[in-house]
Amino acid sequence: MSPERAEQIAISALIWLSTNEELLPIFLGASGASAQDLRAQVGDPAFLASVLEFITMDDAWVMAFCDAEGLKYEEPLRARYSLMGAEDIHWT
C-alpha cells in the first residue's frame, strides 16, 4: 500500500473516530491526546498510525469503520504499517 493511500485511510479513520461518541473518549484517554490534538496532528504520520493502531485493537471497531468507509477489513492494519513513523508507536 502506498503511503498516500495509507494516509487517506488514516485520515478517514480519524474523522470516523472523532464522530464516534463512544470510542473517542477511550482513544483520548489511551493516547493522552486532546480534542485539539486531533486537528493539530492530522498531518503527522505517527499520530495517524496511532489512530489506526487503536482502531485495530478490536475487530468490531475495524468492522464498523470499514463498513462505514467501504474498505476491506484488512486495509486499516495494512495502512497502519505503511505509514512512516508507525514503527515508533508504543502504548506503554
Side-chain angles (χ1 to χ4, degrees):
M1 174 177 296
S2 73
E4 293 81 16
R5 178 66 180 142
E7 187 171 323
Q8 289 173 345
I9 291 171
I11 291 170
S12 294
L14 178 58
I15 293 167
W16 177 83
L17 182 61
S18 69
T19 61
N20 188 310
E21 294 179 9
E22 181 181 324
L23 291 182
L24 181 59
I26 298 169
F27 173 74
L28 294 176
S31 67
S34 68
Q36 293 82 4
D37 291 334
L38 300 182
R39 287 183 288 279
Q41 295 188 34
V42 72
D44 179 3
F47 181 75
L48 292 174
S50 73
V51 171
L52 292 171
E53 179 82 14
F54 176 77
I55 290 173
T56 58
M57 289 182 358
D58 188 298
D59 288 344
W61 301 345
V62 171
M63 293 169 62
F65 167 62
C66 289
D67 289 347
E69 297 297 317
L71 298 171
K72 296 177 183 175
Y73 294 147
E74 68 271 6
E75 287 186 281
L77 189 59
R78 288 182 56 219
R80 182 255 184 263
Y81 286 113
S82 296
L83 288 170
M84 289 179 43
E87 66 279 354
D88 296 333
I89 297 171
H90 301 283
W91 287 93
T92 57

